Amino acid sequence: PSGFCVTVEAYRQHLIRNTTLSNVISQLDSAHEEDLEFKCKKLQSLWEASRLEDDFKVTLASHLDENKIYAVRSSGIDEDLGSTSAAGQNDTVLGVSGCKSVGDSIVLCWSSLFSYHAVQYRRKNGLKVSSSEMCVLVQEMVPEVLAAGVLFSCDPVTGNPWTSILSCNYGLGLSVVGASSDPDTFTLVRDATNDYRVQHKKCGNKENKTVYQGNNSQKSQFFLGLVNRSQQFNRWRH
């Protein structure tokens, strides 16, 4: 699907124009543990009350189709480092349509960088909270899919660039990312001609799936339900 990236520079400009946010962020590195959760909640409330500048909204609108729905995905610059991995700690908003809703979702993604568990994780791993920044990916969403999942183009455990790991389930990939279902997992090996072969496959139970049920005036609706066994025509046999 098509999409675009809201760069770190947009995040920085938002902080420059909202100095209260910057001031509270600067306090998180030295905050006492007993005060940390309160400060994080306060900061997230400030984020969600902040407003995007008009010039940003004009640029954003020029990249959107009002008739399409989007996934707004967080991408923190320190999510995946050599010794730490914070993937999944920041928010992604699915089923978003319209410039205002996409803009609000971008702010929610920025805000999630300062949730209590995300801040606590970075502090425990020696990362400076006040230096954390975020890009946001806005991608056209495919709402009606047979199956979806997550692909690591480089083995996340060994770091082998010739090995990819694919985990997938029926419905939207939300059930894979949120660990609400046991997915199928494939280990793919790439050769010198860039062709892939399946080296190993593990069949998950795939007991349930997440489906998109449209949106109303308030928010998008998703449903986590049981998989129809007659649908499982491609289950791998051991």
Side-chain angles (χ1 to χ4, degrees), residues 124-157:
K124 286 183 176 179
N125 285 277
L127 301 175
K128 194 172 182 181
V129 177
S130 56
S131 298
S132 299
E133 296 178 311
M134 181 178 285
C135 302
V136 177
L137 305 178
V138 181
Q139 297 173 297
E140 184 180 341
M141 183 175 159
V142 181
E144 297 180 9
V145 294
L146 174 63
V150 176
L151 172 67
F152 291 95
S153 57
C154 176
D155 191 313
V157 177

Side-chain angles (χ1 to χ4, degrees), residues 47-204:
W47 267 107
E48 292 163 21
S50 66
R51 294 291 177 264
L52 295 170
E53 293 295 315
D54 289 341
D55 56 347
F56 179 89
K57 289 189 284 188
V58 169
T59 302
L60 179 63
S62 69
H63 287 80
L64 298 173
D65 184 332
E66 292 290 323
N67 297 315
K68 293 182 178 179
I69 61 173
Y70 295 89
V72 183
R73 303 183 181 278
S74 59
S75 182
I77 62 173
D78 56 3
E79 277 189 20
D80 294 297
L81 302 176
S83 58
T84 61
S85 177
Q89 291 193 7
N90 301 319
D91 286 351
T92 286
V93 187
L94 301 180
V96 185
S97 61
C99 184
K100 183 182 185 307
S101 294
V102 172
D104 290 344
S105 298
I106 290 170
V107 174
L108 282 175
C109 287
W110 286 340
S111 170
S112 71
L113 193 59
F114 301 99
S115 67
Y116 174 60
H117 65 269
V119 169
Q120 191 178 48
Y121 178 84
R122 295 202 295 279
R123 284 179 26 136
K124 286 183 176 179
N125 285 277
L127 301 175
K128 194 172 182 181
V129 177
S130 56
S131 298
S132 299
E133 296 178 311
M134 181 178 285
C135 302
V136 177
L137 305 178
V138 181
Q139 297 173 297
E140 184 180 341
M141 183 175 159
V142 181
E144 297 180 9
V145 294
L146 174 63
V150 176
L151 172 67
F152 291 95
S153 57
C154 176
D155 191 313
V157 177
T158 67
N160 186 346
W162 297 93
T163 301
S164 300
I165 307 297
L166 171 65
S167 297
C168 50
N169 184 35
Y170 295 111
L172 296 173
L174 199 61
S175 63
V176 178
V177 177
S180 59
S181 183
D182 179 25
D184 289 342
T185 301
F186 300 87
T187 301
L188 310 174
V189 178
R190 178 164 57 99
D191 61 25
T193 63
N194 285 327
D195 287 330
Y196 285 88
R197 64 179 176 84
V198 178
Q199 182 184 59
H200 180 264
K201 54 182 179 281
K202 173 183 173 292
C203 182

